[in-house]
Amino acid sequence: MNWDAIAAVAEITSALAVLATLLFLARQIQQSNRIGQGEAERVWLASWQEIVASTTADLETTQLYKQGLHSFSSLDDDQKAMFHTILVGMMDRGDALHRLHQQGLASTQLLDSIIDGICIGVIKTPGGAEWWAQVGPLFPGYAFFEERRSSSGVPLTDALTFLRVNGK
């Protein structure tokens, strides 16, 4: 074997090594992205749980939430402020989830279930719609929520009958 043949074998071996390294790095990046998505979803879900917990912290808050979903205008000013705080928390977290999804850090399944199932469900209730008409345009993600509201979701009180007030 002459030096030219040895050099050719060395070049082929080095090209294969570079290719193997690139394939390995691509796989590592893919795995890292999956881990990042999982972590982002975990952190977001913990944040969402805080809102759910605050809504059901005590019977009075739960009743206020139910009444607000039924009729925002029937609440007194203090109750409206509390209801507003709950819904702002939900919609802000929904908007954050939308941004995570845009960055590839949240799954479409999670986005659809939370946005269509809960956020849109809330603003499709009579009281949620009253509240949304007043404050919705102030949200950064207003256009996204409006698009989803017109194309999907059912009022949360239709889906979860236990949220109805006096069976209505």
Side-chain angles (χ1 to χ4, degrees), residues 11-75:
E11 280 185 44
I12 291 171
T13 303
S14 119
L16 290 174
V18 168
L19 180 61
T21 301
L22 289 175
L23 290 173
F24 174 77
L25 287 174
R27 183 156 169 83
Q28 290 296 98
I29 290 170
Q30 221 175 22
Q31 185 177 19
S32 177
N33 287 343
R34 279 194 300 268
I35 290 169
Q37 179 180 353
E39 180 61 14
E41 285 187 2
R42 186 192 65 74
V43 169
W44 184 88
L45 285 167
S47 169
W48 182 258
Q49 251 335 95
E50 290 175 18
I51 287 296
V52 172
S54 72
T55 305
T56 58
D58 55 62
L59 187 57
E60 183 181 341
T61 305
T62 302
Q63 289 172 336
L64 167 77
Y65 177 66
K66 288 171 62 173
Q67 183 62 37
L69 292 177
H70 181 70
S71 173
F72 182 69
S73 59
S74 71
L75 302 175

Side-chain angles (χ1 to χ4, degrees), residues 117-118 155-164:
I118 298 176
L156 197 60
T157 50
D158 288 356
L160 303 174
T161 56
F162 60 83
L163 289 176
R164 294 180 183 166

